[in-house]
Amino acid sequence: MSYLRVEVPESRRNVKGIMADQETTEWRKEWAQSREELAEALTQLAASHKETEKVVRELGKQLGGLGDKFGSFTEGLALPSMTKILTRDFKMSGIAPRVRVRDNGHSMEVDVLAWSKDPAGDAVVVEVKSHLREEGLEQMRRILREFRDFFPEHANRKLYGILAVVDAPDDLREQVLREGIYLASIHDGQFELQVPQDFKAQAY
């Protein structure tokens, strides 16, 4: 059997080669352009991410500051009422807001500290919370447990605790009272003690 051999003219082979080279060149240009566009998009995304992080950090600072201001406002609102309660109902003669002490690298801060002029009299610590949560109750427990370590000058006194709250879940209110901690709630713009008749205060 014989085969027919067809010769492709050299000119036509050159045309195909040129076309293939042109297609390769175009593809490389498109690929290079796509890489540039991708790099630009990634740069913009990174810049946007940094800006978002900056906004989030700033928002966190503002919210934190707002929380501090609201807490300070609540404490300021509570102080006149608690001063009246501590003087009238607990017979306290010394009342000091925002007391903070440090000892061996540790610190304790109480919103209000009150004590009797009698060296053997009682002392009372008041913690003010806008919204009482479990960690707020645990903070009060810790203060009552460790109070004498930070305030040795009151070591011979019986210590009582008062939680003054604007808002608190019913279960936490009941828990506070069960543990013998006084509970004060806001009413008509003032804090008032709210304890049942059978309430038994726990002395620490």
Side-chain angles (χ1 to χ4, degrees):
M1 176 181 288
S2 60
Y3 294 92
L4 178 63
R5 184 174 182 179
V6 179
E7 291 287 340
V8 178
E10 184 67 26
S11 59
R12 294 186 62 183
R13 289 203 299 268
N14 291 340
V15 169
K16 288 184 177 180
I18 292 172
M19 291 178 64
D21 289 342
Q22 288 178 343
E23 290 176 356
T24 301
T25 301
E26 289 296 325
W27 179 83
R28 286 177 177 173
K29 286 181 179 179
E30 291 177 1
W31 171 246
Q33 184 177 356
S34 297
R35 288 185 62 184
E36 289 178 1
E37 292 174 352
L38 178 60
E40 183 179 355
L42 290 174
T43 300
Q44 293 177 353
L45 181 61
S48 176
H49 181 67
K50 288 182 179 179
E51 185 63 25
T52 301
E53 286 184 335
K54 181 180 177 181
V55 171
V56 170
R57 285 197 300 270
E58 185 62 29
L59 181 60
K61 290 179 182 179
Q62 292 178 5
L63 290 175
L66 181 62
D68 291 341
K69 289 179 181 178
F70 185 68
S72 299
F73 170 76
T74 305
E75 292 170 14
L77 181 65
L79 184 59
S81 303
M82 295 313 303
T83 298
K84 182 178 179 180
I85 291 171
L86 291 166
T87 303
R88 181 191 63 204
D89 300 334
F90 291 86
K91 312 304 181 187
M92 299 288 101
S93 56
I95 300 173
R98 301 297 293 265
V99 180
R100 182 173 184 174
V101 294
R102 296 184 63 85
D103 181 51
N104 293 326
H106 300 282
S107 65
M108 175 178 287
E109 181 175 346
V110 296
D111 292 334
V112 182
L113 172 61
W115 61 93
S116 169
K117 64 180 179 180
D118 183 352
D122 300 335
V124 180
V125 292
V126 182
E127 280 297 295
V128 183
K129 302 294 180 186
S130 55
H131 301 285
L132 180 63
R133 298 180 177 85
E134 178 60 39
E135 54 265 31
L137 176 55
E138 178 56 35
Q139 180 185 15
M140 173 59 90
R141 294 186 188 116
R142 184 184 66 82
I143 290 173
L144 293 170
R145 287 195 310 265
E146 302 176 4
F147 178 81
R148 289 176 176 81
D149 295 335
F150 291 90
F151 298 92
E153 65 273 23
H154 297 298
N156 296 326
R157 300 180 185 274
K158 288 182 179 179
L159 178 66
Y160 297 91
I162 301 176
L163 271 169
V165 302
V166 175
D167 177 65
D170 290 340
D171 58 337
L172 274 184
R173 288 177 177 271
E174 294 174 1
Q175 182 65 30
V176 168
L177 296 172
R178 278 199 304 269
E179 295 187 19
I181 299 171
Y182 288 93
L183 184 67
S185 295
I186 198 164
H187 179 71
D188 291 336
Q190 293 187 346
F191 281 89
E192 298 177 356
L193 285 180
Q194 293 188 347
V195 295
Q197 291 184 349
D198 60 349
F199 173 74
K200 294 182 180 180
Q202 175 65 48
Y204 289 80

